[in-house]
Amino acid sequence: MPHGAEALNLPVWNRASDVSVRPRRRWEGRSVVNLSSSAFMKRRTVRPRGAARGPASVVRAAVSRAAEPRNAMAHLDSEMKEECLREDLKFYFMNPCEKYRARHQIPWKLGLQILKIVMVTTQLVRFGLSNQLVVTFKEENTIAFKYLFLKGYSGIDEDTYSCSIYTQEDAYESIFYVINQYHRLKNTSLGTLGYGENEENIIGLKVCKQHYKKGTMFPSNETLNIDSDIETDCTHLDLQALSKNPQDWKNSPFFRLEFYRLLQVEISFHLKGIDLQTMLSRELPDCYVFQNTITFDNRAHSGKIKIYFDSDANIEECKDFNISGSVQKNAQYVLVFDAFVIVICLASLILCTRSIVLALSLRKRFLTFFLEKYKRHVCNADQWEFINGWYVLVIISDLMTIIGSILKMEIKVKNLTNYDLCSILLGTSTLLVWVGVIRYLGYFQKYNVLILTMQASLPKVLRFCACAGMIYLGYTFCGWIVLGPYHSKFVALNTVSECLFSLVNGDDMFATFAQIQQKSILVWLFSRLYLYSFISLFTYMILSLFIALITDSYDTIKKYQQNGFPETDLQGFLKERGSEEKCQKEPSALLSCICCLRRKGSDDRFILTN
């Protein structure tokens, strides 16, 4: 004969598939008849012997006897629903090792995350080595171009510009030197270079000069008559024109420069090259287009013309190549590996998304139950406990890894050449993957202190940084406008901010004080007051307060670990009756070694669920 819940034929409560269900054996041995009889005997009243029973009392007694079984069933039904919800919540907030102890559920997400860390890191290292070859090829070609086309280049840039000239003769010789070197490129260059077409599909040089429209200048008489409108004249020198007598184009009116109204001369040309060193790494070679621009800057009219060299290298798909050997086979292996990484990340993405969806469903059940039973809403802190931030972090990492892997595969087969975007996606995703490892370290008390301290101090630190940032911005703008003309580190806002940040960390202090120009005594005195006040305020006060905020949070966490954390509504609900029962089935020896399943249960109370 069935007993308990089977005798009542109770409906099965809707549960999330990812949560546990208590065995029904706790209801076995109870009799509905006994339960209803005892409840009825507690509520019946003693009637005096011989008293007559009226019609109303007879009806009330009949109704009461009929209602007692229904009330008992409803009460039993509510208890089962509450206990089921409690067990579901307990299972959700367990770590993978505890879930295995409770139900022998294999921690697939944990194993998948460990495998993903190895795969993503290996993929990033391989891509980094390949990208390093690209960067090296670009940098070495830029240096070679400067030696080829800049007359008198010493190998070291003078400042933001490569070199400078000071006479008219040097200006003409430097311009003609660039043109001659371009014409003799195949006979002088050591690289695999060739001529490329410019934006107008012309192979050759494009020379442009900018100057004021017209004017006269007599510095000795301090007279000036000039039109400030700027004119730009350009000419094209193709290979056929350069093959003729050089004096023909050198004596042309275009190259007669009036330096008093000349602003700049710009020479631009395109070159093509092939990077063969990638084949040493068993990769397909890359084809490059170098957009080179040489600028003779005379805007200052100070007697010094600055020469700038800019080379922009773009990777393009090689139109036709035939490579024999093991390079092609190695490329196929790399593509298979990248595809496997995409599959791993896609599986991780699906599992974490499923866990978040199930958590939201469980959160809705708990909020509804809590409101019905206790007639009040759950606090926001308990509601946010259901949103696992680590899962969100893993989802973002998986999305970036999938997109980055697709771009990497396209780069590998030479359909795309966007190394920068691929590097950002793969680098950021690997960063998030390794940050996610902290989640698993947080299952242990000693490692969990760091995570709890960061969580507790983050809101206070952000508010503190917002206030300190206002003072920092004030010093930045003040230093830029006052010290900019007298100090190289205060020329631009970004350099001012970098300089002040270095001073906060105690770097480069003496050089910052010493490099101020003493042309103005007033500015020199202001610079001392400015630097001393900034260093004293930020180093001795603001930075100390910043550290004190984190130390205070750490001390609070340590006290909580010794005396217990404040109990919330959610934790109080989980600690009610039946919460101390645990599954006693012994796990396998293999997973005991892997998951640290022998950890003492007394340590669990020190670990936050999320």
Side-chain angles (χ1 to χ4, degrees):
M1 181 176 180
H3 298 281
E6 299 178 2
L8 294 175
N9 194 20
L10 292 175
V12 179
W13 294 100
N14 184 23
R15 305 181 179 90
S17 58
D18 193 36
V19 292
S20 69
V21 180
R22 276 292 184 187
R24 296 193 179 186
R25 65 176 181 272
R26 68 169 54 209
W27 302 106
E28 294 179 2
R30 294 187 183 181
S31 175
V32 177
V33 178
N34 295 336
L35 178 63
S36 59
S37 300
S38 60
F40 176 77
M41 292 299 295
K42 290 179 182 178
R43 291 175 175 81
R44 65 182 299 185
T45 58
V46 180
R47 181 170 51 87
R49 183 176 298 179
R53 194 183 281 185
S57 62
V58 173
V59 174
R60 285 195 298 268
V63 172
S64 177
R65 286 193 299 270
E68 284 297 338
R70 289 196 297 269
N71 293 337
M73 292 174 61
H75 179 69
L76 182 60
D77 207 30
S78 176
E79 285 188 351
M80 285 192 63
K81 181 179 179 181
E82 178 180 350
E83 188 64 22
C84 176
L85 177 60
R86 181 178 293 108
E87 296 302 324
D88 291 350
L89 289 172
K90 286 172 54 183
F91 187 80
Y92 170 74
F93 287 112
M94 289 180 181
N95 60 48
C97 297
E98 292 169 341
K99 288 182 179 179
Y100 182 81
R101 286 206 307 265
R103 288 176 51 186
H104 276 205
Q105 175 178 310
I106 299 177
W108 295 109
K109 286 196 291 291
L110 174 60
L112 196 62
Q113 295 304 315
I114 295 175
L115 178 61
K116 189 179 72 172
I117 290 174
V118 177
M119 300 290 292
V120 170
T121 305
T122 304
Q123 181 192 45
L124 181 73
V125 172
R126 290 187 57 87
F127 180 75
L129 295 176
S130 176
N131 196 21
Q132 186 177 359
L133 296 177
V134 174
V135 174
T136 302
F137 185 77
K138 291 180 180 180
E139 291 179 349
E140 292 180 352
N141 273 275
T142 301
I143 296 174
F145 291 153
K146 290 181 179 181
Y147 275 105
L148 283 174
F149 298 106
L150 300 183
K151 184 179 181 180
Y153 181 67
S154 62
I156 301 176
D157 292 348
E158 295 184 9
D159 197 355
T160 56
Y161 51 91
S162 300
C163 55
S164 57
I165 51 179
Y166 298 91
T167 64
Q168 294 185 13
E169 182 181 0
D170 290 340
Y172 282 114
E173 289 181 356
S174 298
I175 294 173
F176 295 152
Y177 182 82
V178 174
I179 299 174
N180 290 328
Q181 288 294 101
Y182 178 81
H183 181 234
R184 300 171 53 243
L185 177 66
K186 292 186 177 180
N187 297 326
T188 57
S189 174
L190 298 175
T192 56
L193 297 174
Y195 298 109
E197 298 178 349
N198 57 16
E199 295 83 358
E200 300 175 0
N201 296 325
I202 299 176
I203 297 178
L205 289 163
K206 180 180 180 182
V207 185
C208 296
K209 62 178 182 179
Q210 291 183 0
H211 53 80
Y212 292 117
K213 192 170 185 180
K214 60 182 180 179
T216 56
M217 182 184 301
F218 301 97
S220 58
N221 298 331
E222 299 180 353
T223 57
L224 173 66
N225 181 18
I226 195 168
D227 189 348
S228 60
D229 292 337
I230 298 176
E231 288 184 340
T232 302
D233 299 329
C234 295
T235 185
H236 293 274
L237 298 175
D238 55 14
L239 295 177
Q240 184 178 1
L242 295 176
S243 300
K244 298 178 181 178
N245 187 5
Q247 297 299 326
D248 294 341
W249 51 267
K250 286 183 179 180
N251 296 329
S252 64
F254 179 83
F255 288 102
R256 296 174 185 173
L257 304 177
E258 297 177 348
F259 290 94
Y260 72 92
R261 65 189 185 100
L262 178 68
L263 294 177
Q264 72 175 27
V265 176
E266 184 178 281
I267 304 176
S268 60
F269 54 92
H270 289 196
L271 298 176
K272 290 185 177 182
I274 300 177
D275 184 11
L276 298 179
Q277 67 174 337
T278 55
M279 291 194 300
L280 299 177
S281 302
R282 300 185 180 277
E283 295 184 6
L284 297 177
D286 294 322
C287 295
Y288 290 82
V289 176
F290 298 96
Q291 302 175 8
N292 300 320
T293 303
I294 302 174
T295 305
F296 297 81
D297 188 4
N298 191 41
R299 294 178 182 272
H301 288 90
S302 60
K304 175 182 178 179
I305 294 181
K306 303 174 183 178
I307 302 178
Y308 295 87
F309 184 89
D310 180 63
S311 180
D312 187 12
N314 296 323
I315 304 176
E316 293 187 354
E317 181 182 358
C318 296
K319 295 181 180 179
D320 186 18
F321 60 87
N322 185 13
I323 302 174
S324 59
S326 59
V327 175
Q328 196 75 19
K329 184 180 296 185
N330 182 74
Q332 295 175 356
Y333 292 153
V334 175
L335 292 177
V336 171
F337 180 82
D338 292 335
F340 186 62
V341 172
I342 293 177
V343 172
I344 293 295
C345 293
L346 189 61
S348 173
L349 176 65
I350 294 174
L351 290 177
C352 292
T353 304
R354 171 180 171 272
S355 297
I356 290 180
V357 172
L358 295 176
L360 293 177
S361 175
L362 187 60
R363 171 177 172 266
K364 183 178 179 180
R365 289 175 55 195
F366 177 69
L367 295 181
T368 304
F369 171 81
F370 202 84
L371 183 62
E372 291 177 353
K373 182 174 181 179
Y374 300 102
K375 308 302 180 184
R376 60 187 178 92
H377 295 280
V378 181
C379 63
N380 292 328
D382 282 345
Q383 294 187 32
W384 280 105
E385 284 292 328
F386 291 88
I387 307 299
N388 195 326
W390 296 111
Y391 287 159
V392 177
L393 188 72
V394 171
I395 289 174
I396 296 175
S397 172
D398 290 337
L399 289 175
M400 298 183 72
T401 304
I402 292 172
I403 299 174
S405 300
I406 294 174
L407 291 179
K408 181 177 179 295
M409 295 174 70
E410 292 294 324
I411 292 173
K412 190 67 180 180
V413 297
K414 307 306 177 185
N415 291 334
L416 292 178
T417 58
N418 199 336
Y419 275 86
D420 294 336
L421 179 59
C422 185
S423 300
I424 292 173
L425 291 173
L426 292 181
T428 307
S429 64
T430 306
L431 169 65
L432 297 180
V433 166
W434 280 100
V435 170
V437 177
I438 301 177
R439 175 199 176 197
Y440 301 104
L441 296 178
Y443 293 148
F444 307 96
Q445 178 186 357
K446 294 182 179 180
Y447 296 97
N448 200 39
V449 175
L450 172 62
I451 303 174
L452 298 180
T453 303
M454 293 174 61
Q455 291 178 348
S457 62
L458 183 61
K460 294 183 289 185
V461 167
L462 292 179
R463 290 192 293 267
F464 180 80
C465 290
C467 298
M470 301 299 104
I471 305 176
Y472 188 86
L473 287 176
Y475 270 93
T476 301
F477 286 111
C478 179
W480 173 58
I481 196 64
V482 178
L483 304 180
Y486 302 93
H487 202 297
S488 59
K489 294 183 179 180
F490 291 82
V491 175
L493 280 174
N494 60 327
T495 57
V496 176
S497 178
E498 294 166 1
C499 177
L500 294 181
F501 189 78
S502 299
L503 292 177
V504 171
N505 293 277
D507 297 335
D508 212 17
M509 284 192 179
F510 177 77
T512 304
F513 278 95
Q515 291 179 8
I516 187 70
Q517 301 177 11
Q518 300 184 15
K519 294 181 178 180
S520 174
I521 299 298
L522 181 62
V523 174
W524 185 85
L525 292 175
F526 178 84
S527 67
R528 264 46 192 172
L529 177 63
Y530 172 85
L531 293 175
Y532 279 122
S533 62
F534 177 82
I535 294 173
S536 302
L537 179 62
F538 274 83
T539 303
Y540 302 132
M541 183 179 296
I542 294 181
L543 191 59
S544 300
L545 289 175
F546 182 84
I547 298 174
L549 289 176
I550 301 177
T551 305
D552 179 68
S553 299
Y554 176 77
D555 293 337
T556 303
I557 296 300
K558 293 294 290 183
K559 291 180 181 178
Y560 282 160
Q561 287 190 336
Q562 295 174 359
N563 305 325
F565 288 90
E567 186 175 286
T568 62
D569 293 335
L570 177 59
Q571 295 172 352
F573 177 76
L574 294 177
K575 286 184 179 181
E576 291 181 12
R577 65 167 186 254
S579 61
E580 60 276 355
E581 293 185 13
K582 295 184 178 179
C583 187
Q584 301 295 333
K585 194 167 183 179
E586 189 69 21
S588 64
L590 177 62
L591 282 179
S592 298
C593 298
I594 296 177
C595 295
C596 305
L597 296 177
R598 303 295 185 181
R599 184 167 53 85
K600 294 180 180 181
S602 59
D603 293 341
D604 293 346
R605 61 189 182 90
F606 297 122
I607 301 173
L608 286 186
T609 53
N610 257 343

PDB file of all heavy atoms in Angstrom, residues 57-81:
ATOM      1  N   SER A  57     -24.592  22.694  14.783  1.00  0.00           N
ATOM      2  CA  SER A  57     -23.345  22.050  15.213  1.00  0.00           C
ATOM      3  C   SER A  57     -23.051  20.811  14.393  1.00  0.00           C
ATOM      4  O   SER A  57     -21.896  20.480  14.118  1.00  0.00           O
ATOM      5  CB  SER A  57     -23.433  21.699  16.702  1.00  0.00           C
ATOM      6  OG  SER A  57     -24.494  20.779  16.920  1.00  0.00           O
ATOM      7  N   VAL A  58     -24.112  20.126  14.025  1.00  0.00           N
ATOM      8  CA  VAL A  58     -23.918  18.939  13.189  1.00  0.00           C
ATOM      9  C   VAL A  58     -23.327  19.326  11.846  1.00  0.00           C
ATOM     10  O   VAL A  58     -22.398  18.698  11.318  1.00  0.00           O
ATOM     11  CB  VAL A  58     -25.246  18.192  13.003  1.00  0.00           C
ATOM     12  CG1 VAL A  58     -25.070  17.060  11.990  1.00  0.00           C
ATOM     13  CG2 VAL A  58     -25.732  17.654  14.340  1.00  0.00           C
ATOM     14  N   VAL A  59     -23.808  20.434  11.251  1.00  0.00           N
ATOM     15  CA  VAL A  59     -23.296  20.893   9.946  1.00  0.00           C
ATOM     16  C   VAL A  59     -21.857  21.344  10.070  1.00  0.00           C
ATOM     17  O   VAL A  59     -21.000  21.029   9.246  1.00  0.00           O
ATOM     18  CB  VAL A  59     -24.185  22.032   9.404  1.00  0.00           C
ATOM     19  CG1 VAL A  59     -23.569  22.613   8.133  1.00  0.00           C
ATOM     20  CG2 VAL A  59     -25.579  21.508   9.114  1.00  0.00           C
ATOM     21  N   ARG A  60     -21.578  22.117  11.163  1.00  0.00           N
ATOM     22  CA  ARG A  60     -20.196  22.583  11.351  1.00  0.00           C
ATOM     23  C   ARG A  60     -19.246  21.409  11.549  1.00  0.00           C
ATOM     24  O   ARG A  60     -18.116  21.414  11.055  1.00  0.00           O
ATOM     25  CB  ARG A  60     -20.128  23.518  12.550  1.00  0.00           C
ATOM     26  CG  ARG A  60     -20.705  24.900  12.260  1.00  0.00           C
ATOM     27  CD  ARG A  60     -20.277  25.883  13.336  1.00  0.00           C
ATOM     28  NE  ARG A  60     -20.771  25.489  14.653  1.00  0.00           N
ATOM     29  CZ  ARG A  60     -21.932  25.903  15.167  1.00  0.00           C
ATOM     30  NH1 ARG A  60     -22.716  26.719  14.466  1.00  0.00           N
ATOM     31  NH2 ARG A  60     -22.320  25.500  16.362  1.00  0.00           N
ATOM     32  N   ALA A  61     -19.666  20.425  12.294  1.00  0.00           N
ATOM     33  CA  ALA A  61     -18.810  19.260  12.513  1.00  0.00           C
ATOM     34  C   ALA A  61     -18.558  18.509  11.215  1.00  0.00           C
ATOM     35  O   ALA A  61     -17.443  18.040  10.946  1.00  0.00           O
ATOM     36  CB  ALA A  61     -19.456  18.335  13.547  1.00  0.00           C
ATOM     37  N   ALA A  62     -19.609  18.401  10.403  1.00  0.00           N
ATOM     38  CA  ALA A  62     -19.440  17.711   9.124  1.00  0.00           C
ATOM     39  C   ALA A  62     -18.488  18.467   8.206  1.00  0.00           C
ATOM     40  O   ALA A  62     -17.621  17.888   7.541  1.00  0.00           O
ATOM     41  CB  ALA A  62     -20.812  17.529   8.451  1.00  0.00           C
ATOM     42  N   VAL A  63     -18.645  19.815   8.172  1.00  0.00           N
ATOM     43  CA  VAL A  63     -17.753  20.639   7.333  1.00  0.00           C
ATOM     44  C   VAL A  63     -16.326  20.557   7.832  1.00  0.00           C
ATOM     45  O   VAL A  63     -15.369  20.475   7.073  1.00  0.00           O
ATOM     46  CB  VAL A  63     -18.257  22.103   7.305  1.00  0.00           C
ATOM     47  CG1 VAL A  63     -17.240  22.995   6.608  1.00  0.00           C
ATOM     48  CG2 VAL A  63     -19.606  22.179   6.608  1.00  0.00           C
ATOM     49  N   SER A  64     -16.185  20.582   9.163  1.00  0.00           N
ATOM     50  CA  SER A  64     -14.839  20.510   9.741  1.00  0.00           C
ATOM     51  C   SER A  64     -14.181  19.186   9.412  1.00  0.00           C
ATOM     52  O   SER A  64     -12.993  19.134   9.081  1.00  0.00           O
ATOM     53  CB  SER A  64     -14.914  20.710  11.251  1.00  0.00           C
ATOM     54  OG  SER A  64     -13.641  20.582  11.829  1.00  0.00           O
ATOM     55  N   ARG A  65     -14.959  18.076   9.559  1.00  0.00           N
ATOM     56  CA  ARG A  65     -14.378  16.784   9.234  1.00  0.00           C
ATOM     57  C   ARG A  65     -14.010  16.687   7.755  1.00  0.00           C
ATOM     58  O   ARG A  65     -13.024  16.053   7.390  1.00  0.00           O
ATOM     59  CB  ARG A  65     -15.376  15.665   9.602  1.00  0.00           C
ATOM     60  CG  ARG A  65     -15.497  15.419  11.091  1.00  0.00           C
ATOM     61  CD  ARG A  65     -16.227  14.127  11.375  1.00  0.00           C
ATOM     62  NE  ARG A  65     -17.597  14.148  10.843  1.00  0.00           N
ATOM     63  CZ  ARG A  65     -18.653  14.562  11.519  1.00  0.00           C
ATOM     64  NH1 ARG A  65     -18.515  14.975  12.774  1.00  0.00           N
ATOM     65  NH2 ARG A  65     -19.843  14.545  10.978  1.00  0.00           N
ATOM     66  N   ALA A  66     -14.778  17.322   6.897  1.00  0.00           N
ATOM     67  CA  ALA A  66     -14.483  17.284   5.456  1.00  0.00           C
ATOM     68  C   ALA A  66     -13.279  18.158   5.108  1.00  0.00           C
ATOM     69  O   ALA A  66     -12.534  17.874   4.168  1.00  0.00           O
ATOM     70  CB  ALA A  66     -15.713  17.726   4.648  1.00  0.00           C
ATOM     71  N   ALA A  67     -13.084  19.286   5.861  1.00  0.00           N
ATOM     72  CA  ALA A  67     -11.991  20.221   5.549  1.00  0.00           C
ATOM     73  C   ALA A  67     -10.652  19.765   6.082  1.00  0.00           C
ATOM     74  O   ALA A  67      -9.605  20.160   5.563  1.00  0.00           O
ATOM     75  CB  ALA A  67     -12.323  21.614   6.094  1.00  0.00           C
ATOM     76  N   GLU A  68     -10.691  18.948   7.163  1.00  0.00           N
ATOM     77  CA  GLU A  68      -9.430  18.555   7.784  1.00  0.00           C
ATOM     78  C   GLU A  68      -8.504  17.829   6.825  1.00  0.00           C
ATOM     79  O   GLU A  68      -7.314  18.142   6.750  1.00  0.00           O
ATOM     80  CB  GLU A  68      -9.734  17.692   9.017  1.00  0.00           C
ATOM     81  CG  GLU A  68     -10.213  18.468  10.220  1.00  0.00           C
ATOM     82  CD  GLU A  68      -9.171  19.426  10.734  1.00  0.00           C
ATOM     83  OE1 GLU A  68      -7.969  19.216  10.447  1.00  0.00           O
ATOM     84  OE2 GLU A  68      -9.526  20.398  11.399  1.00  0.00           O
ATOM     85  N   PRO A  69      -8.947  16.819   6.072  1.00  0.00           N
ATOM     86  CA  PRO A  69      -8.020  16.160   5.124  1.00  0.00           C
ATOM     87  C   PRO A  69      -7.481  17.119   4.070  1.00  0.00           C
ATOM     88  O   PRO A  69      -6.307  17.049   3.696  1.00  0.00           O
ATOM     89  CB  PRO A  69      -8.875  15.053   4.510  1.00  0.00           C
ATOM     90  CG  PRO A  69      -9.949  14.813   5.513  1.00  0.00           C
ATOM     91  CD  PRO A  69     -10.258  16.138   6.122  1.00  0.00           C
ATOM     92  N   ARG A  70      -8.339  18.064   3.577  1.00  0.00           N
ATOM     93  CA  ARG A  70      -7.868  19.003   2.551  1.00  0.00           C
ATOM     94  C   ARG A  70      -6.816  19.939   3.120  1.00  0.00           C
ATOM     95  O   ARG A  70      -5.818  20.251   2.467  1.00  0.00           O
ATOM     96  CB  ARG A  70      -9.058  19.795   1.989  1.00  0.00           C
ATOM     97  CG  ARG A  70      -9.987  18.963   1.120  1.00  0.00           C
ATOM     98  CD  ARG A  70     -10.894  19.863   0.294  1.00  0.00           C
ATOM     99  NE  ARG A  70     -11.762  20.674   1.139  1.00  0.00           N
ATOM    100  CZ  ARG A  70     -12.975  20.314   1.529  1.00  0.00           C
ATOM    101  NH1 ARG A  70     -13.461  19.122   1.146  1.00  0.00           N
ATOM    102  NH2 ARG A  70     -13.712  21.113   2.289  1.00  0.00           N
ATOM    103  N   ASN A  71      -7.024  20.442   4.365  1.00  0.00           N
ATOM    104  CA  ASN A  71      -6.027  21.318   4.979  1.00  0.00           C
ATOM    105  C   ASN A  71      -4.702  20.596   5.207  1.00  0.00           C
ATOM    106  O   ASN A  71      -3.624  21.160   5.036  1.00  0.00           O
ATOM    107  CB  ASN A  71      -6.558  21.862   6.305  1.00  0.00           C
ATOM    108  CG  ASN A  71      -7.730  22.804   6.110  1.00  0.00           C
ATOM    109  OD1 ASN A  71      -7.893  23.377   5.031  1.00  0.00           O
ATOM    110  ND2 ASN A  71      -8.567  22.947   7.137  1.00  0.00           N
ATOM    111  N   ALA A  72      -4.833  19.329   5.638  1.00  0.00           N
ATOM    112  CA  ALA A  72      -3.611  18.562   5.848  1.00  0.00           C
ATOM    113  C   ALA A  72      -2.863  18.345   4.543  1.00  0.00           C
ATOM    114  O   ALA A  72      -1.624  18.451   4.481  1.00  0.00           O
ATOM    115  CB  ALA A  72      -3.952  17.211   6.484  1.00  0.00           C
ATOM    116  N   MET A  73      -3.602  18.056   3.469  1.00  0.00           N
ATOM    117  CA  MET A  73      -2.966  17.876   2.167  1.00  0.00           C
ATOM    118  C   MET A  73      -2.327  19.167   1.681  1.00  0.00           C
ATOM    119  O   MET A  73      -1.210  19.169   1.141  1.00  0.00           O
ATOM    120  CB  MET A  73      -3.998  17.374   1.143  1.00  0.00           C
ATOM    121  CG  MET A  73      -4.505  15.952   1.402  1.00  0.00           C
ATOM    122  SD  MET A  73      -5.819  15.483   0.276  1.00  0.00           S
ATOM    123  CE  MET A  73      -4.948  15.605  -1.280  1.00  0.00           C
ATOM    124  N   ALA A  74      -3.009  20.317   1.880  1.00  0.00           N
ATOM    125  CA  ALA A  74      -2.451  21.603   1.451  1.00  0.00           C
ATOM    126  C   ALA A  74      -1.202  21.951   2.240  1.00  0.00           C
ATOM    127  O   ALA A  74      -0.212  22.456   1.692  1.00  0.00           O
ATOM    128  CB  ALA A  74      -3.501  22.714   1.596  1.00  0.00           C
ATOM    129  N   HIS A  75      -1.232  21.659   3.553  1.00  0.00           N
ATOM    130  CA  HIS A  75      -0.067  21.939   4.381  1.00  0.00           C
ATOM    131  C   HIS A  75       1.118  21.065   3.960  1.00  0.00           C
ATOM    132  O   HIS A  75       2.259  21.543   3.871  1.00  0.00           O
ATOM    133  CB  HIS A  75      -0.426  21.686   5.854  1.00  0.00           C
ATOM    134  CG  HIS A  75       0.721  21.924   6.787  1.00  0.00           C
ATOM    135  ND1 HIS A  75       1.221  23.183   7.035  1.00  0.00           N
ATOM    136  CD2 HIS A  75       1.471  21.051   7.518  1.00  0.00           C
ATOM    137  CE1 HIS A  75       2.232  23.084   7.886  1.00  0.00           C
ATOM    138  NE2 HIS A  75       2.394  21.797   8.190  1.00  0.00           N
ATOM    139  N   LEU A  76       0.840  19.804   3.720  1.00  0.00           N
ATOM    140  CA  LEU A  76       1.886  18.895   3.270  1.00  0.00           C
ATOM    141  C   LEU A  76       2.420  19.308   1.903  1.00  0.00           C
ATOM    142  O   LEU A  76       3.625  19.269   1.628  1.00  0.00           O
ATOM    143  CB  LEU A  76       1.339  17.466   3.219  1.00  0.00           C
ATOM    144  CG  LEU A  76       2.322  16.358   2.796  1.00  0.00           C
ATOM    145  CD1 LEU A  76       3.492  16.306   3.754  1.00  0.00           C
ATOM    146  CD2 LEU A  76       1.602  15.029   2.744  1.00  0.00           C
ATOM    147  N   ASP A  77       1.498  19.754   1.046  1.00  0.00           N
ATOM    148  CA  ASP A  77       1.868  20.218  -0.280  1.00  0.00           C
ATOM    149  C   ASP A  77       2.800  21.424  -0.193  1.00  0.00           C
ATOM    150  O   ASP A  77       3.813  21.527  -0.905  1.00  0.00           O
ATOM    151  CB  ASP A  77       0.599  20.582  -1.046  1.00  0.00           C
ATOM    152  CG  ASP A  77       0.791  20.443  -2.537  1.00  0.00           C
ATOM    153  OD1 ASP A  77       1.591  19.584  -2.950  1.00  0.00           O
ATOM    154  OD2 ASP A  77       0.144  21.200  -3.283  1.00  0.00           O
ATOM    155  N   SER A  78       2.491  22.392   0.667  1.00  0.00           N
ATOM    156  CA  SER A  78       3.308  23.598   0.838  1.00  0.00           C
ATOM    157  C   SER A  78       4.679  23.258   1.391  1.00  0.00           C
ATOM    158  O   SER A  78       5.693  23.836   0.979  1.00  0.00           O
ATOM    159  CB  SER A  78       2.580  24.575   1.766  1.00  0.00           C
ATOM    160  OG  SER A  78       3.369  25.711   2.030  1.00  0.00           O
ATOM    161  N   GLU A  79       4.722  22.307   2.337  1.00  0.00           N
ATOM    162  CA  GLU A  79       6.018  21.922   2.893  1.00  0.00           C
ATOM    163  C   GLU A  79       6.903  21.271   1.836  1.00  0.00           C
ATOM    164  O   GLU A  79       8.109  21.523   1.782  1.00  0.00           O
ATOM    165  CB  GLU A  79       5.807  20.961   4.069  1.00  0.00           C
ATOM    166  CG  GLU A  79       5.308  21.641   5.334  1.00  0.00           C
ATOM    167  CD  GLU A  79       5.297  20.673   6.505  1.00  0.00           C
ATOM    168  OE1 GLU A  79       5.510  19.459   6.247  1.00  0.00           O
ATOM    169  OE2 GLU A  79       5.095  21.129   7.635  1.00  0.00           O
ATOM    170  N   MET A  80       6.320  20.438   1.009  1.00  0.00           N
ATOM    171  CA  MET A  80       7.105  19.812  -0.057  1.00  0.00           C
ATOM    172  C   MET A  80       7.621  20.844  -1.046  1.00  0.00           C
ATOM    173  O   MET A  80       8.768  20.784  -1.512  1.00  0.00           O
ATOM    174  CB  MET A  80       6.255  18.763  -0.792  1.00  0.00           C
ATOM    175  CG  MET A  80       6.030  17.475  -0.031  1.00  0.00           C
ATOM    176  SD  MET A  80       5.330  16.201  -1.077  1.00  0.00           S
ATOM    177  CE  MET A  80       6.640  16.003  -2.267  1.00  0.00           C
ATOM    178  N   LYS A  81       6.793  21.823  -1.363  1.00  0.00           N
ATOM    179  CA  LYS A  81       7.206  22.873  -2.288  1.00  0.00           C
ATOM    180  C   LYS A  81       8.348  23.694  -1.699  1.00  0.00           C
ATOM    181  O   LYS A  81       9.328  24.016  -2.385  1.00  0.00           O
ATOM    182  CB  LYS A  81       6.009  23.767  -2.601  1.00  0.00           C
ATOM    183  CG  LYS A  81       6.314  24.892  -3.575  1.00  0.00           C
ATOM    184  CD  LYS A  81       5.071  25.715  -3.859  1.00  0.00           C
ATOM    185  CE  LYS A  81       5.394  26.855  -4.815  1.00  0.00           C
ATOM    186  NZ  LYS A  81       4.198  27.690  -5.094  1.00  0.00           N
TER     187      LYS A  81
END
